[in-house]
Structures are given as C-alpha cells and as structure tokens.
Amino acid sequence: MQPENHLTLDDGNQDRYQLLIAHAPVCIHEIDLEGRLTYMNPAGLAMVDSNLDKVCGCRYLDFVSDKDRAKVERLMEKALAGEASEFEFSFEFEGQVLTFSSSFIPIRNPEGQVEKLMGITQDLTVPKQAETERERLILELESKNADLERFVYTVSHELKTPLVTISGFAGILHNDLTKGKTKAVEQHVDRITSAIATMNHLLDELLEMSRVGRVDNDFEPVPLGEIVAEVVESLHFQLADQNADVRIADDLPVVHGNRLRLYEVIQNLLENAIKFRKESFPIKISIDAHDTDDGVMCRVQDDGIGIEPEYRERIFDLFERLDPQIPGTGVGLALVRRIIENMGGKVRVESDGPGKGSTFILFFPRQK
Ligand code: ADP
C-alpha cells in the first residue's frame, strides 16, 4: 500500500504540471537521493541569480546558512525516508541575511520507494523585515502613547495648582465682599493675578515644548559661538549682578540645527547656572567643546549648588524641580532635552554632588 503523501506525475497531466511549475512565482526544485539539485524552475533561478546548468549538481545544503544546516540536513534525511516537512532557513548572500521558507516532498516511484524530493521555496526576507519593522513601530507607538499619558497627567496636575489658588482666593474674596470686609481685597486679588500669571507662563512653555519637532524643523549649520555670545549679551545684567566670570572657548563648533531652538537651549542652561548659584560666590561659568568619534560634545559648566546623583536623570523630566523655594516651572531642561533629541543628539548632566557645581553635556552627532 502507498503511504498517504504519495505523489506521482504519471497521471496524464504532465504537460499541465510542467506549465504550472514553469510559471509558478515561487522556487520549485527537485533534489536527488544524494541531496543534489536536479531541477529548478525559472522563478527559483531568478532567486539565486543563476542558470539551470550551474545550479544542477549543487548540494541543496550549500544554500543553507551554517546556523541552520544541521536542522535542514536532519529534515532532508527524514524526507528521503518518506516524511514530508516544511521549515525556514536563512542564507547569507552578498552580506545580507536572507530568510526562506521551504519544504521537502518525497516523490516515490511506482514501487513506492522515494526516488527524489521536490520542494517549494519562498523568499521571506522582505515580509520578515516588514514584520520586524511593524513590531518596532508598534513598540515605539506604545511607548509614545505611554509618554503622552504621563504628560497629560503631569500637565493637568501642574495646571491645577494655580487653579486651586485662584478658586480658593476667589471664594475668600466673595465671602469678604458679601460681609463688607474690604481690607484684604487687594492682597487676594494680587494672589489671584499671580496665580494667573503662573498658569500663563506654564501654558506658554508647554506650547513651546509642543512646537519642537512639529514646526521649526528647518535645520541649518549654526555656529554655537555666535549663539552663546548672543545669549551672554542678553543676560548681561543678570551676569553682571553676580560679578560672573564667563569663559567661552573660541573654538566652539558649527552644529546642524534650528538656530532659535539652540538659542533656547543655551539660554536655559545659562539662566539655570545663574539661578542655581551658591550664595556666597561670584559665579564662574565656562562653555567649551571637543570632537569625539561620532560628533561634538559641548559642555556648559558652572560652580553652583550642584546636583545629587539620584536626581541627574529626573531633572530633565517635565515640571521636575529640586527646590520649590527657587522660582521656576521645571520645563526648561525638559525643553532642552526635547530640542537636542529632536536634532538627533543627547544631553546629560555631571556633578560631583551638592555644592560642587554642574556640567551639562550636549552631544551633537556628526552630519552624514
Ligand atoms: P526650572 O529652572 O524652571 O526650575 P529646569 O527644568 O530648568 O526648571 O530645571 C529643573 C531643575 O533642575 C531645577 O529646578 C533645579 O533643581 C535643577 N537644576 C537645573 N539646572 C541646574 C544647575 N545648573 N545647577 C543645579 N541644579 C540645577
């Protein structure tokens, strides 16, 4: 009795089968009992970029990567013993790893002995790459969604604070006025006005954040030296007030970015260097840069209050402030990070700890 996967081509439909095989859009091949290719259809020959004379006689296993060869060899032995199989394997061609799906179908002679194997092989490289890319995009989207959720939560929380103040003082004001108490009215109105100003400031900064990467994406070569000089000039009075010693290296590089945004980066870092100074010292700030293998590092160094190691990541989060007594919104460094990352760069801070100053390091990748 013939086994179930018995297949013969002597059923009078040979011409039709041959036509199908010749025009099939997948590689169809035959392998002899020694594991050598004896036939490959035109689609297969196009796949290996060869012709029938060259392909016939080649070992099938030579088209399989070292990594998958033992597995495929085992399946081939089983197929020669009569067991069909489907499998995937990879092959390295001109430096690129290609992925294929393939099969071994035992073909038997009228006596029921396996006389050769047929197989169908399909190039899965492009669909596999598309699948990997799809998975990457899904992960990226999920992470962006999580960021967005966190962002909405933090923003609404932060905007609530001035609102609570406003509603609280409006209530007190209402009570006072109904009772004819007018003594503290001016004070309460001041508190309300100040909370409104805080909220306005927060909203302006958030709007600024949302613009990064959405608009202002026209990058150009920007000489950092010019930007630093302009910011230092704009902060002239604050710096003079502190008797600041500002040292700017004269070899600051030209980087590829948005001029206005880079101005904001330097402005935020220098304003922070002034704001987070040590009380007793005339402040020292230095700005320099050096080349690395893959780009340029620019350092903005101060001798201010410094930062504890555990906060060096957190200060770049939105609304993160280490000392609520010092005025600020906690948006500046989040904006700095967003701008620099939008340029393909990175920013981090180094500090030897409280009282030991801080160094903000901006990395600008080399333009390819
Ligand atoms: P803001 O300046 O509005 O508080 P930032 O986002 O610019 O917000 O900074 C976040 C926090 O990081 C600051 O509140 C401060 O605690 C810390 N920080 C920023 N720059 C410095 C610095 N140069 N030295 C010490 N701490 C700093």
Side-chain angles (χ1 to χ4, degrees):
M1 211 179 74
Q2 298 287 3
E4 281 219 4
N5 55 15
H6 168 82
L7 189 66
T8 59
L9 295 180
D10 58 354
D11 57 359
N13 280 323
Q14 287 241 27
D15 285 353
R16 193 185 295 163
Y17 284 135
Q18 262 157 17
L19 207 67
L20 276 176
I21 289 171
H23 291 277
V26 289
C27 170
I28 299 177
H29 43 77
E30 287 182 7
I31 303 168
D32 65 14
L33 299 179
E34 269 76 53
R36 292 185 188 278
L37 286 156
T38 53
Y39 171 76
M40 192 176 269
N41 71 342
L45 294 173
M47 211 152 125
V48 292
D49 195 17
S50 189
N51 59 49
L52 202 53
D53 284 345
K54 281 197 196 142
V55 165
C56 285
C58 289
R59 272 162 39 93
Y60 178 88
L61 288 174
D62 287 345
F63 290 95
V64 178
S65 67
D66 294 349
K67 163 172 94 60
D68 294 325
R69 195 163 298 133
K71 172 187 83 177
V72 176
E73 193 168 9
R74 253 193 329 275
L75 292 172
M76 189 188 279
E77 278 164 16
K78 284 189 177 177
L80 290 170
E83 190 182 321
S85 56
E86 285 176 12
F87 53 94
E88 278 187 17
F89 69 92
S90 59
F91 180 58
E92 206 164 307
F93 184 65
E94 290 179 351
Q96 204 199 346
V97 179
L98 308 172
T99 312
F100 298 95
S101 76
S102 191
S103 57
F104 290 139
I105 308 159
I107 306 291
R108 297 169 186 273
N109 60 20
E111 287 74 47
Q113 288 152 337
V114 176
E115 63 173 16
K116 60 182 170 186
L117 302 180
M118 279 193 83
I120 301 174
T121 300
Q122 254 179 306
D123 189 348
L124 295 184
T125 312
V126 173
K128 279 261 171 191
Q129 278 167 348
E131 195 182 314
T132 313
E133 179 61 5
R134 194 178 129 263
E135 277 163 13
R136 191 190 64 77
L137 286 173
I138 289 175
L139 281 180
E140 192 179 306
L141 210 63
E142 278 173 358
S143 135
K144 284 209 166 131
N145 253 342
D147 276 358
L148 201 64
E149 265 173 38
R150 257 196 311 277
F151 181 78
V152 170
Y153 174 83
T154 322
V155 168
S156 43
H157 183 79
E158 202 67 16
L159 288 177
K160 270 234 161 90
T161 313
L163 264 187
V164 169
T165 310
I166 293 169
S167 106
F169 279 100
I172 298 174
L173 209 57
H174 182 260
N175 266 346
D176 283 359
L177 289 176
T178 45
K179 288 177 190 155
K181 292 202 261 172
T182 53
K183 222 172 94 201
V185 166
E186 204 173 327
Q187 215 182 333
H188 297 336
V189 171
D190 277 354
R191 296 293 289 269
I192 291 175
T193 316
S194 142
I196 290 172
T198 304
M199 207 160 164
N200 235 335
H201 189 62
L202 271 175
L203 286 171
D204 280 349
E205 290 203 290
L206 282 175
L207 217 60
E208 205 57 24
M209 283 268 292
S210 81
R211 289 171 67 88
V212 178
R214 211 163 39 81
V215 277
D216 302 344
N217 254 348
D218 41 342
F219 291 173
E220 53 178 338
V222 184
L224 262 190
E226 272 180 36
I227 301 286
V228 171
E230 283 170 28
V231 176
V232 168
E233 179 57 31
S234 77
L235 295 173
H236 174 80
F237 291 108
Q238 289 97 308
L239 290 165
D241 240 14
Q242 301 305 320
N243 203 7
D245 172 7
V246 184
R247 294 181 187 196
I248 308 168
D250 46 22
D251 59 351
L252 291 182
V254 172
V255 296
H256 194 72
N258 178 283
R259 197 179 175 97
L260 184 74
R261 295 289 167 207
L262 282 165
Y263 185 96
E264 284 178 330
V265 167
I266 301 297
Q267 185 182 35
N268 265 299
L269 296 181
L270 292 190
E271 279 177 349
N272 279 350
I274 300 171
K275 193 157 67 168
F276 300 104
R277 63 186 181 269
K278 280 187 288 200
E279 278 312 327
S280 51
F281 282 31
I283 60 175
K284 272 195 194 146
I285 302 173
S286 75
I287 302 146
D288 62 11
H290 66 271
D291 274 336
T292 70
D293 283 349
D294 15 282
V296 178
M297 291 277 195
C298 175
R299 298 186 305 175
V300 178
Q301 201 162 8
D302 64 50
D303 64 346
I305 61 173
I307 299 162
E308 299 255 30
E310 64 261 42
Y311 298 123
R312 282 181 212 149
E313 252 310 301
R314 265 178 50 187
I315 56 167
F316 292 97
D317 288 345
L318 196 59
F319 304 128
E320 200 63 58
R321 294 160 62 205
L322 303 183
D323 182 354
Q325 304 304 318
I326 304 180
T329 56
V331 178
L333 287 181
L335 182 67
V336 166
R337 172 163 276 179
R338 205 173 152 108
I339 294 172
I340 296 292
E341 287 183 353
N342 188 49
M343 291 172 58
K346 286 199 175 92
V347 56
R348 66 188 161 86
V349 68
E350 283 177 2
S351 170
D352 286 334
K356 302 263 178 66
S358 312
T359 305
F360 285 83
I361 299 166
L362 308 172
F363 168 73
F364 300 98
R366 199 177 304 291
Q367 280 309 298
K368 293 194 179 116

